[in-house]
Amino acid sequence: MSQTVLFKNARVIDGLSDQPRAGMSILVTGDRIRQVTQGEIAAPPDAQVIDVGGKTMIPGLIDTHVHSTLMDRESLPLFLAAGVTSARDVGAKLEKVQALKADIASGAQLGPRLFICGPLLDGEESSFPRGPLTEMLQSIPSVDDVPHTIGHLLNAGVDGVKLYFTLPPDTAKAVIRYVDKRVPITGHLGYTHSLEVIQAGIDGLEHVWISPYNEFCALDMQFGPGKKVSSMMNRHFAPLTFKGWEEADLQSQKAKTWFGAMVEKQVNMGTTLDLLWISKCGQDAAMKDPDRRYVPPMALGRQRALAAHIGERPDWDIFPGFDPAIGSKALEKHQEVTRILHESGGLVVGGTDCGGISYPPPGYALWREIELMAEAIGTMAAFKAVTSVAARYLRKQDDIGSIAPGRYADFSIIDGDPLRSVHELRKITTVYRGGVALNPQTLLATVPTQGH
Ligand SMILES: [Zn+2]
């Protein structure tokens, strides 16, 4: 039996339009949206009618950068509590993330719709020292190994492929050729310069402050094999990156070349500005942030283990290795990169890295990301970056990312107006995933919390 629900008097941010639409009727049958109409429509017999007058409806949010197997399964409902109904996992042990995806799809595990990439594709060298993160890595030692490795992932049904830090340019380009557009490819680059893979046809880049770094920094500060920073676990990684960006001229010819290529090829730039949020609010405020209570215990424990490599500091569970003395301008600079790219006609999508880095927690991380993106590109553009633009990037725009006929009934009801203040997004009263109503407070009561 499929349930029919009619929402009336809705003020809708549909994910596609530039303006909200008032007085809308939305008809849901089973797990899909059937009809979206301005004004009243007759309720079908046996339909449940919900009057959402005075409230705002927004599509289910999409986090394009999560590590779902690096957090406790009990923490996964946090996504739904925050209205994040879809997430792309961009780095996990393949079998683990396949099992999680299957459990969520079957209803055995509560969580967002999950799209998966499987492992992080490294070159010959390992991006991480031996430790809990290495289970995510897979080495492609040479171009000759590409068909075997990538063929296996495609046969396993991955939704995307993720190139990683130590993968060299020749192998990166061979992967792009071999995949041949069958699934979207993204990269968190280090040894490969982004321009090479942009020209070769990559679909997305992760971390506005990492993947394009080599195109913006001084030559002697670049990442690469045999360079000062050849691994992200190197203690110089964060200070060098922040300094390199601080000195970078965003109006220079090389900057223009990068922005131009991103726009021409319509490559999606995943932001992860949330990781730099501490540079804006300062350590004390970050330590007192109420969202902190929802950091998954597994993520926090792993971060403590990481301290053995990078040094001991009580606040480094927020951003390991971050030093405000060096990085205080980091966020502003990357909001500026995001703004220039967006205003030039480039594609900006929201992603957070929750799970990979412990802070902020699942779901809440995307709220933070939206708030920081809104400062750079405006609130409506920020909402599109986590709904319709993200859906197109994942090639799932017929299923998710907008409130339109035929899409899954994934949306949230907000007791407020998030266009008046983006912070009102936090006033979500009900989240619908596939037409099933979920109460955020009920979900939050089930997740593990840190003593606070
Ligand atoms: Zn990540």
Side-chain angles (χ1 to χ4, degrees):
M1 193 192 74
S2 77
Q3 213 201 341
T4 302
V5 186
L6 175 63
F7 297 86
K8 61 177 207 175
N9 293 320
R11 181 174 183 273
V12 175
I13 295 170
D14 66 10
L16 297 163
S17 314
D18 287 327
Q19 297 295 329
R21 292 187 291 163
M24 302 297 291
S25 298
I26 294 95
L27 185 67
V28 170
T29 310
D31 63 356
R32 297 268 178 177
I33 298 169
R34 295 296 160 194
Q35 194 180 342
V36 179
T37 306
Q38 185 112 41
E40 300 256 330
I41 58 173
D46 73 20
Q48 181 192 1
V49 179
I50 301 177
D51 189 334
V52 285
K55 300 191 170 71
T56 307
M57 204 182 228
I58 189 166
L61 310 175
I62 304 167
D63 189 335
T64 60
H65 192 130
V66 313
H67 297 278
S68 57
T69 63
L70 298 181
M71 58 183 78
D72 309 71
R73 278 196 172 208
E74 293 76 16
S75 294
L76 292 169
L78 281 165
F79 285 107
L80 298 171
V84 181
T85 53
S86 295
R88 181 180 65 163
D89 188 294
V90 286
K93 190 175 168 62
L94 180 63
E95 297 73 22
K96 261 195 197 179
V97 78
Q98 280 180 309
L100 179 57
K101 181 181 173 174
D103 284 351
I104 291 175
S106 74
Q109 169 70 49
L110 194 56
R113 299 181 195 284
L114 199 59
F115 305 103
I116 64 173
C117 295
L120 302 167
L121 301 173
D122 251 349
E124 233 175 331
E125 290 158 69
S126 175
S127 287
F128 302 131
R130 195 194 294 268
L133 295 174
T134 51
E135 69 167 39
M136 292 192 288
L137 300 174
Q138 182 162 358
S139 167
I140 309 184
S142 80
V143 170
D144 296 340
D145 300 301
V146 167
H148 174 76
T149 304
I150 304 301
H152 174 70
L153 291 176
L154 293 174
N155 285 336
V158 294
D159 303 293
V161 166
K162 166 94 174 275
L163 314 180
Y164 209 51
F165 195 82
T166 69
L167 196 71
D170 286 354
T171 320
K173 285 187 270 189
V175 172
I176 294 170
R177 275 196 306 274
Y178 185 84
V179 170
D180 193 22
K181 294 283 172 193
R182 283 175 281 182
V183 294
I185 302 177
T186 191
H188 167 152
L189 307 174
Y191 288 15
T192 290
H193 292 217
S194 61
L195 272 177
E196 293 193 67
V197 285
I198 294 168
Q199 299 302 349
I202 200 166
D203 297 275
L205 298 175
E206 302 303 309
H207 312 296
V208 70
W209 46 285
I210 301 178
S211 290
Y213 172 80
N214 278 343
E215 317 291 359
F216 284 84
C217 69
L219 279 178
D220 61 351
M221 296 173 83
Q222 288 181 339
F223 305 144
K227 300 273 175 71
K228 187 174 180 191
V229 169
S230 58
S231 153
M232 280 182 299
M233 292 299 142
N234 182 311
R235 67 184 62 247
H236 300 297
F237 172 71
L240 179 101
T241 311
F242 295 145
K243 193 166 172 7
W245 275 110
E246 196 172 322
E247 293 172 1
D249 174 5
L250 302 186
Q251 307 301 328
S252 68
Q253 193 49 50
K254 58 183 181 177
K256 286 192 176 115
T257 301
W258 184 81
F259 287 118
M262 288 291 283
V263 174
E264 189 204 330
K265 299 287 185 183
Q266 290 288 283
V267 176
N268 295 273
M269 186 68 250
T271 46
T272 65
L273 295 168
D274 67 311
L275 301 179
L276 304 173
W277 164 76
I278 182 176
S279 80
K280 174 186 173 178
C281 68
Q283 284 179 69
D284 290 349
M287 295 301 281
K288 288 182 191 131
D289 182 60
D291 292 355
R292 196 178 159 76
R293 89 190 90 145
Y294 294 120
V295 171
M298 193 197 282
L300 202 52
R302 207 178 44 246
Q303 216 74 293
R304 290 194 189 109
L306 193 63
H309 293 285
I310 57 163
E312 217 36 272
R313 285 254 301 260
D315 53 310
W316 278 4
D317 59 28
I318 292 173
F319 187 124
F322 183 88
D323 187 341
I326 301 164
S328 63
K329 296 202 182 82
L331 175 62
E332 278 171 48
K333 193 90 183 206
H334 297 295
Q335 285 178 309
E336 184 65 3
V337 175
T338 304
R339 185 189 66 76
I340 295 172
L341 180 61
H342 172 73
E343 289 181 358
S344 312
L347 297 174
V348 172
V349 290
T352 65
D353 219 352
C354 64
I357 304 276
S358 70
Y359 200 87
Y364 290 76
L366 199 64
W367 283 353
R368 178 93 70 221
E369 190 67 27
I370 293 166
E371 290 161 8
L372 298 174
M373 279 194 296
E375 291 175 358
I377 63 175
T379 305
M380 192 56 112
F383 288 149
K384 288 185 185 181
V386 294
T387 57
S388 62
V389 181
R392 229 179 314 141
Y393 176 24
L394 306 186
R395 301 189 199 159
K396 305 291 177 191
Q397 68 271 27
D398 293 337
D399 286 328
I400 59 172
S402 58
I403 296 178
R407 310 297 186 276
Y408 281 121
D410 290 1
F411 45 77
S412 293
I413 310 295
I414 301 165
D415 190 9
D417 178 3
L419 292 172
R420 178 176 56 204
S421 163
V422 67
H423 300 278
E424 296 206 6
L425 181 61
R426 292 174 182 254
K427 297 183 178 173
I428 292 177
T429 58
T430 315
V431 178
Y432 289 84
R433 180 187 181 278
V436 176
L438 300 161
N439 179 319
Q441 297 309 318
T442 308
L443 295 171
L444 291 178
T446 70
V447 305
T449 52
Q450 308 293 334
H452 204 263

